[in-house]
């Protein structure tokens, strides 16, 4: 089964906040930042043999 992975971008305010926390806490904020990025990933499963329209990726 094919997969399409789409990553929505983090807003500039959230990105600035996360990078500030990464710098100020000497990397202790890294797991929170990575979890926030991972949460923004959408995976679309396409069954084998599907002949309809394919969603954008």
């Amino acid at each position: 089964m094919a997969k399409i992975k789409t990553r929505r971008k983090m807003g500039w305010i959230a990105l600035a906040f996360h990078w500030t926390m990464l710098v100020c806490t000497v990397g202790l904020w890294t797991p929170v930042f990575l979890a926030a990025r991972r949460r923004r990933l959408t995976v679309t499963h396409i069954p084998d043999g599907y002949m309809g329209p394919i969603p954008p990726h």
Side-chain angles (χ1 to χ4, degrees), residues 19 29 31 41-42 49 54:
W19 276 105
W29 191 257
L41 181 70
T42 303
I54 297 176

Side-chain angles (χ1 to χ4, degrees), residues 3 12-13 19 42 51:
K3 295 180 189 175
W12 67 271
I13 293 174
W19 276 105
T42 303
M51 299 303 289

Side-chain angles (χ1 to χ4, degrees), residues 15-52:
L15 197 58
F17 172 76
H18 281 285
W19 276 105
T20 302
M21 293 302 291
L22 281 172
V23 170
C24 293
T25 60
V26 193
L28 294 176
W29 191 257
T30 303
V32 177
F33 172 70
L34 294 176
R37 277 191 57 193
R38 195 168 32 252
R39 221 177 20 242
R40 302 180 89 71
L41 181 70
T42 303
V43 178
T44 306
H45 295 277
I46 301 175
D48 293 331
Y50 178 73
M51 299 303 289

